[in-house]
Amino acid sequence: MKLPSWISRSGITVTVLLLIGCASIGGAQWDKLYGTAKPIEYKSTIPAPGLVSYVHDIRPIIEQRCTVCHGCYDSPCQLKLDSFQGLLRGANSTKVYDGSRLLGAPLTRIFEDAHSTSEWRTKDFYPVLNERINTPEANIKGSIFAQMLLLKQENPSPSENILPESFDFSLNPRQYCSRIENFEDYRKTAPLWGMPYALPGLNTREHNLLMSWLKEGAQIDENTEVDPTVSLEIDKWEKLLNGDSNKEQLISRYIYEHLFLAQLFFADDLSNKFAKAQANSRQYFRLVRSRTPPGVPLDRISTGRPFDDPKVARVYYRLWRDPSSVVLKTHMPYALNKARMEEWLNLFFKPNYAVNNLPSYSLETASNPFITFAELPIDSRYRFMLNEARFTIMNFIKGPVCRGQVALNVIQDHFWVFFFAPKTQTAKGAEQFLADNSKHLELPAEVGNSFLPLTNWLRYSEKQKEYLVAKAKFVNELTEKAGDQGLSLIWDGNLRTNNNAALTIFRHNDSASVYQGLIGEPPKTAWVIDYPLLERIHYLLVAGFDVYGNVTHQLLSRVYMDFLRIEGEMNFLSLLPKAAAQKELAYWYRDAESNLQTYIDLYLNQIEIVKDFHYTSDNPKLELFDQIKKYLAKASESSHHIGSGSLTPEELAIYRQLQRAPGSAIQYLPQTMIIRVPEVGLFTLVHNSSYSNLSSLFGDEKRRIPDEDYLTITRGIVGSYPNSFMRVNKRDLPDFVARVHGIRSEADYQVLRDIYGIRRSNPDFWGFSDEMLSEYRKTEPDEAALLDYNRLENR
């Protein structure tokens, strides 16, 4: 289908067509028919008897049919439908994800960068609901949201398995955004592009409910009041975080800069009571900066990054209730309970130390946590992150980066992560070492969105080299003093009680996921992370990363992450015999850029052999994995590992056989395939792509080695962006496995999909989606959230 010239050619994703229009009726004509548009402001009311309820009737439909494609920063035309405020805000054709822009983009974070619909209109957001006269006719005819629903009903998706090429499913297709005034020509030009885009339409009940609600004026009946018992909890935590002393203020700043993305929830008995009062839906809060102290209305301070200057004499830290739906891509729950309160008191508040002066918010120092928080004990800072290591890493893996290819092509598709024990980070001289090297640990965030030549990375490269030289010397001194330590160098998860001691990370092209415990077969690479490395990861790709930033900011962040990955890998390799370490490096970095050896020579080749690890086989890496796994015991276990749960040995053998498919078959499989076995549960088949090396900024495909790809089968759901759905009855598993192993062409894969697949075009797509989500919430209540369907394949 040829698109008309009036459709915008800039943007992100074609699903945005649920907003599009073209030029047929001018704004003046609309004003004449239905009056002048006036922004609708958020106001929760109790609907009159007989009217449709947003909370009970509409929100579940929008969540499970709309938010699944409109839940993150890459939502089509910035129409985020994870809250009613997002629906009121409307759409904007400017791209959030643009790795080529020379200047940073305007910030458009909902709840932060504008606080009313009128403010959003000044930022070029236009309505998708009717904003003219409130009549049933105007509420339907003047709403793009309603018109796109009607268009889908009038023109259902084609019945063939593979949708036609007129639908664009590429990762970065053109974006088409227009307004209600232009809709009629679009209706004629693109009749198949109704909402939901490239998915089955709503059923009669869902469609009628939504249309009735829209006719009635799209009223909102959310409960905006906080339960009185929860208010008491809020008071308690805000009191802790707003002490007046320098020490208390610095502690709170540190906590805020590490938890600003967290979805905080109260996890003692109180939360259960509150959850029941909220229709079994957990309520989340965000830790925010405020101009006002506890006890008076919150006046939120919104800045691009959490360490940016708040421009007030005193910052207060408040808990703000987040009304958004829970979307897996950004779901990072963090419990506030009695144990957490005691942990923070013991780590930060009770120890006897002085904070003589509060650090400034100048960008040069605020972006460097080793300067800003130098007066807080290293042990406290490290344990704070370590005790919730998955959450700490998850901030980088998840966070607001919905399209993270520039940031994520720096990591392998599957690797394990371990941590050095706190005692190794707090040895005598450690604080002085960090103080002496704080300038070597500067991060790209200090330059903000300045447009700089990429050769600027050389400055950070030289600083990293200087740091590695100093680190090698310091490690050798510690090793000489401490003597043999063996596996005690590795954090044991607080005597093997904390499953954050070992993590598994998967990369799924431009997204990633992280889980507690060791999942899958031993991977090619692994990291061992120490305090300086963990802190820099956070300040590089979480606190200091600006999704709206310019090309310099984004590429410098990517290049610097190369240094951090190499450092984490070298920490792991330092535990191997030198010959084995060099062999692994040669394999990990085949055809890599020549300057890589410089980093190896400056650190790995300068540290002494760790004598207390003893190897007897010809594969020391696998031996080391096995030693650490046994050392960590239960702290290395994962509920996602295929061996966990209640599978019989015979059943387990079938699933393990599935992940042993040959490379000739794997090359046709998507990154993530969710398999629902109704009698057993949910599984994810993860396709791990292999590369000759990851040391280059561009050219992923040139470094691909498909013959070395492999699969990992997991329990439950892994990843936020599924590519494929399968429904396989238990009795059919052997046939399914055999067919996967037998794939030799795209046609073979499509036959597999014909038999077991739930395609975009499947009339039962939404039924499967609902069953999957229900099972997900039942089996993983703390983790379950809405998946994102933007990456579903059309095969």
Side-chain angles (χ1 to χ4, degrees), residues 364-365 368 371 434-443 463 466:
E364 182 180 1
T365 57
N368 188 331
I371 295 175
L434 276 183
D436 293 342
N437 286 275
S438 60
K439 288 293 184 180
H440 296 151
L441 300 175
E442 289 175 349
L443 296 162
K463 288 179 180 292
E466 292 166 2

Side-chain angles (χ1 to χ4, degrees), residues 76-121:
C77 286
Q78 295 195 55
L79 179 63
K80 281 185 92 247
L81 295 177
D82 56 348
S83 67
F84 186 74
Q85 289 86 340
L87 189 59
L88 290 179
R89 179 178 75 159
N92 184 313
S93 61
T94 302
K95 294 195 300 181
V96 172
Y97 292 97
D98 183 358
S100 63
R101 59 180 165 237
L102 300 183
L103 300 175
L107 301 179
T108 56
R109 299 162 300 175
I110 199 163
F111 301 117
E112 291 195 60
D113 300 313
H115 301 285
S116 68
T117 311
S118 298
E119 284 186 67
W120 286 119
R121 295 291 171 266

